[in-house]
Amino acid sequence: MSENSSNKNEWPLWEVFTQPKSGKPHQHAGSVHAVDAEMALQNARDVYARRNEGVNIWVVESKHITSSTPEDMGPFFDPANDKPYRHPQFYSVPRAVKKRS
Amino acid sequence: MDTEKRAEEFQQRIDAGEKIEPKDWMPERYRKQLIRMMSQHAHSEVVGMLPEGNWIERAPSLKRKLVLLAKVQDEAGHGLYIYSAAETLGISRKEMVEQYIYGDAKYSSIFNYPTLTYADICAIGWLVDGAAIVNQTMLARSSYGPYSRSMVRICKEESFHKKQGYEMIARMANGTEEQQKMAQDSVNRWWWPSLMMFGPHDSDSPNSAELIKWQVKLKTNDELRQHFVDRTVMEAKAIGLEIPDPDLKYNEETGHWDFGELPWDEFWNVIKGNGIMNKERIKTRKKAYEDGAWVREAATECARKKKLGEEKAS
Ligand SMILES: [Fe+2]
Ligand SMILES: [Fe+2]
């Protein structure tokens, strides 16, 4: 199929993160193709923020993202499961104090 | 772990209502079916710009022109959301686009009908986007995370598309005798093709059962079509337009509107590429793609030189 195409290479892929409101964290919106960061930002605005869905946009080339794999979902997050003392519910408080709070 | 065991676990995740994400294990066929379905969907959004784009320069007022421009731009956005979601399955954008420009990838048949009058633009917003909403609201709950998220985004925009169309056709239906005729004529031509958007009968739809098992789709073609008929009949009545179906009748028992058989010969014929506008649509898309090639190349080259300059300067 590619023999039909005159441009050999596709523009790089960028992941887009938009901040819905000031004070809110950025959220993944999707991706765009662009030749550089500046074009990625412009494309991201046109594609993912036509209706004020964002007050700020981050773009990062997809190849620079490292993600944990679904296979290590268990072991990778394990250390969290056996440490109940990290949660406030682990601690007891005298009854009189509890009532007041 | 062997594939069979994995497939079993995969099905359990689906049945438990979990979403599947790009890096999760999935049966090869699930991936293939999703790529097929999502790329077809994305192609449809993009081709969908053509029938309406045909009227941008002839919109009856500046307001309608602005609205139509915004709607057509949204459709481009829809195509991009879905292409972007499909790319997470390991297929490139370019490959998808070329499968359809040079290959035999399908897109929704509705866009192979011509837009003859401005009333057609009104009818498309009301009926075609209305049907798309029914389908896409279901797909927003699809099991593949990126697809479902792109649908949530799309559905928010589709309600604007449908409302602007319904508002315009209502106004025409309430206008001069000539306007009323025009509105009715466009409904007569777009009604059946809109019902065809839901695809063949369940009994003629080989992919349906599998897609439902995997919760890619949550309802069958016939269920969705019925839902669309029920709500559109009401909307037509409210503005005094006739649905061109002599068999349309409210069924007290089922609580649904019974309707006539679709012109299936026409349906299969358009799918095979013999619709009025099939050749024209592909030709236009191909021309845009090929005429734009130098722009894509020039932008790449420009970015390369800019980067080179920056490296030298530092
Ligand atoms: Fe759309
Ligand atoms: Fe739409």
Side-chain angles (χ1 to χ4, degrees):
Chain A
M1 223 146 271
S2 46
E3 68 269 12
N4 288 312
S5 172
S6 44
N7 71 322
K8 308 283 171 298
N9 298 310
E10 203 168 35
W11 289 349
L13 190 66
W14 300 70
E15 298 302 319
V16 177
F17 300 83
T18 52
Q19 185 185 26
K21 272 186 195 142
S22 94
K24 297 276 182 218
H26 285 67
Q27 265 183 359
H28 184 240
S31 61
V32 292
H33 286 272
V35 290
D36 58 16
E38 193 190 336
M39 187 199 259
L41 269 181
Q42 286 167 354
N43 289 354
R45 176 204 54 200
D46 292 346
V47 177
Y48 295 105
R50 284 192 301 283
R51 291 179 174 77
N52 296 321
E53 288 97 335
V55 293
N56 188 275
I57 301 177
W58 291 344
V59 290
V60 59
E61 237 190 295
S62 309
K63 67 176 182 199
H64 295 312
I65 292 188
T66 311
S67 125
S68 64
T69 67
E71 285 78 46
D72 44 45
M73 183 129 106
F76 190 72
F77 295 100
D78 238 3
N81 289 334
D82 59 356
K83 294 182 180 61
Y85 48 84
R86 281 180 169 158
H87 299 279
Q89 300 91 312
F90 185 72
Y91 302 91
S92 57
V93 175
R95 197 157 266 206
V97 177
K98 218 183 213 170
K99 265 187 197 151
R100 245 179 284 148
S101 61
Chain B
M1 215 187 311
D2 59 64
T3 313
E4 209 168 297
K5 180 107 199 299
R6 285 189 132 164
E8 214 171 278
E9 281 183 15
F10 177 83
Q11 190 62 48
Q12 281 165 5
R13 291 189 62 197
I14 300 268
D15 295 342
E18 278 182 46
K19 294 278 184 238
I20 307 301
E21 293 299 333
K23 288 194 164 187
D24 294 354
W25 185 88
M26 58 186 85
E28 229 8 72
R29 188 148 166 88
Y30 178 82
R31 183 187 304 275
K32 279 223 176 90
Q33 287 281 45
L34 269 175
I35 289 178
R36 183 188 58 84
M37 192 171 150
M38 290 168 74
S39 57
Q40 276 182 17
H41 192 166
H43 303 331
S44 305
E45 300 286 349
V46 173
V47 180
M49 289 192 281
L50 300 177
E52 289 178 293
N54 179 32
W55 281 91
I56 289 176
E57 290 184 347
R58 292 174 287 164
S61 69
L62 184 59
K63 177 185 158 189
R64 294 303 171 190
K65 190 170 187 162
L66 285 172
V67 170
L68 188 54
L69 266 173
K71 183 193 185 275
V72 171
Q73 191 192 18
D74 275 352
E75 303 301 358
H78 295 179
L80 295 176
Y81 303 158
I82 309 171
Y83 279 131
S84 141
E87 282 176 281
T88 64
L89 290 161
I91 183 167
S92 77
R93 172 94 45 110
K94 187 166 169 243
E95 198 179 341
M96 284 186 273
V97 169
E98 293 187 356
Q99 274 175 0
Y100 129 74
I101 290 180
Y102 302 114
D104 54 1
K106 299 266 180 284
Y107 57 87
S108 180
S109 285
I110 191 81
F111 304 117
N112 289 319
Y113 291 86
T115 39
L116 304 177
T117 68
Y118 202 79
D120 288 8
I121 301 306
C122 315
I124 286 180
W126 174 37
L127 299 175
V128 176
D129 290 81
I133 290 176
V134 169
N135 194 30
Q136 292 173 152
T137 307
M138 165 203 64
L139 291 172
R141 291 184 290 132
S142 175
S143 62
Y144 188 55
Y147 196 24
S148 108
R149 290 192 286 274
S150 69
M151 288 302 121
V152 170
R153 199 175 276 278
I154 285 181
C155 285
K156 283 188 196 148
E157 304 181 351
E158 290 293 3
S159 34
F160 144 58
H161 298 179
K162 181 184 164 181
K163 273 184 98 173
Q164 59 89 33
Y166 188 54
E167 184 197 89
M168 284 196 295
I169 202 134
R171 194 163 292 184
M172 284 192 99
N174 198 21
T176 63
E177 200 179 315
E178 204 180 349
Q179 285 171 327
Q180 288 177 9
K181 258 194 200 144
M182 227 168 129
Q184 185 60 53
D185 169 66
S186 71
V187 172
N188 292 350
R189 282 180 291 110
W190 289 93
W191 175 251
W192 294 107
S194 300
L195 294 195
M196 293 179 205
M197 284 174 70
F198 298 96
H201 273 315
D202 297 339
S203 50
D204 297 322
S205 176
N207 292 313
S208 260
E210 190 176 54
L211 292 173
I212 286 174
K213 181 186 95 182
W214 281 329
Q215 296 287 289
V216 171
K217 285 175 66 168
L218 289 90
K219 284 184 179 153
T220 69
N221 296 351
D222 287 328
E223 283 171 333
L224 292 168
R225 188 162 20 238
Q226 182 67 59
H227 179 75
F228 174 73
V229 170
D230 288 344
R231 81 187 220 180
T232 311
V233 169
M234 297 303 173
E235 291 167 353
K237 277 195 190 308
I239 56 174
L241 286 171
E242 257 341 288
I243 300 279
D245 178 359
D247 297 325
L248 196 69
K249 196 169 170 252
Y250 186 70
N251 185 326
E252 294 283 350
E253 254 165 63
T254 61
H256 294 293
W257 286 84
D258 292 337
F259 54 96
E261 203 50 64
L262 276 66
W264 292 112
D265 289 344
E266 179 184 319
F267 173 81
W268 295 112
N269 200 35
V270 180
I271 285 197
K272 276 185 203 124
N274 304 323
I276 304 174
M277 298 300 280
N278 289 57
K279 293 205 175 68
E280 169 71 26
R281 299 289 186 236
I282 282 290
K283 204 177 93 193
T284 309
R285 285 294 297 122
K286 195 170 161 197
K287 185 174 180 325
Y289 187 66
E290 290 175 358
D291 288 357
W294 74 270
V295 179
R296 295 191 291 275
E297 277 166 41
T300 304
E301 190 53 20
C302 178
R304 192 184 67 85
K305 285 201 174 140
K306 210 167 109 191
K307 206 173 157 200
L308 218 67
E310 277 163 16
E311 277 166 10
K312 261 191 201 150
S314 65

